[in-house]
Amino acid sequence: MDHYIPKRRVPVTLWSTGLEAVSAQMFLDLDAVTRSHQTILEKLDESTPFLPASVGGQGRIHLFNKRRLLRVTPGRSVILSDVFSRGFRPWREEEAECTLMDGTALAGKVWMPLERESQRLSDFMNQVSGFLVLLTPVGPHLIHPRGVAELRLSESAGVPLDALGAESPAGR
């Protein structure tokens, strides 16, 4: 028998393959014992294959296949601590420009928990298994790596390629 877990509703827009953007309300767990609450990132990163959400004026429940979700945008009224928790582990934010598979371009800071002090954004992107947080001037976006077509980093190789003495193909 399932036990009832108190929930909170938070407004989001779900972006997925095969569907237009869907305005919905996600259900986040409340824990009365510890007085803590689940974040949107934690909900998206759960191992369950479907995300239940309330859609439309009548609040009809829809089940969205999480493997098809590419981006989740919290509503303007959602506070950042409902989106993700920085916690006590070390973390860093890195500037990046992101182009998504649907052509959407977003610029901001990728929030990444650090596994080690020398971790680069490229290391994080190659290891991330769930959604990542992109903090933009208009608000946060939770993006699944499979939705990313290109991520332009602020870091560079350190030396311009022209300075290495390589001839350009046009100059040959």
Side-chain angles (χ1 to χ4, degrees):
M1 175 179 192
D2 289 340
H3 296 281
Y4 174 74
I5 299 172
K7 307 278 188 209
R8 298 183 299 123
R9 291 181 181 213
V10 293
V12 295
T13 302
L14 304 172
W15 309 80
S16 66
T17 55
L19 294 175
E20 296 293 321
V22 176
S23 293
Q25 291 189 340
M26 283 179 59
F27 303 104
L28 301 180
D29 295 343
L30 288 170
D31 186 348
V33 175
T34 63
R35 293 192 174 145
S36 65
H37 64 277
Q38 186 177 41
T39 66
I40 295 172
L41 181 61
E42 289 169 339
K43 186 68 169 182
L44 292 171
D45 286 346
E46 286 178 339
S47 62
T48 56
F50 288 93
L51 174 71
S54 171
V55 177
Q58 295 179 343
R60 188 169 181 186
I61 303 299
H62 292 230
L63 299 175
F64 293 91
N65 187 332
K66 285 196 230 175
R67 297 189 75 185
R68 305 288 294 203
L69 289 177
L70 300 177
R71 176 169 55 124
V72 176
T73 306
R76 292 195 186 276
S77 63
V78 177
I79 59 175
L80 204 54
S81 62
D82 286 340
V83 178
F84 71 105
S85 174
R86 288 188 169 105
F88 296 104
R89 291 182 54 204
W91 54 272
R92 186 169 59 234
E93 295 174 359
E94 293 284 340
E95 291 281 341
E97 297 172 33
C98 183
T99 302
L100 302 177
M101 296 298 240
D102 63 3
T104 301
L106 300 168
K109 293 181 178 181
V110 175
W111 173 80
M112 60 178 183
L114 296 176
E115 296 297 323
R116 62 185 187 287
E117 188 64 33
S118 63
Q119 178 175 309
R120 300 168 298 179
L121 183 53
S122 54
D123 299 327
F124 172 72
M125 290 300 295
N126 282 319
Q127 296 169 350
V128 69
S129 59
F131 283 75
L132 61 102
V133 178
L134 180 65
L135 302 167
T136 70
V138 289
H141 298 268
L142 295 120
I143 301 169
H144 199 282
R146 77 176 143 267
V148 176
E150 179 184 19
L151 193 65
R152 290 176 298 286
L153 313 180
S154 61
E155 66 187 49
S156 68
V159 177
L161 294 177
D162 295 346
L164 297 176
E167 289 185 29
S168 67
R172 291 184 184 170

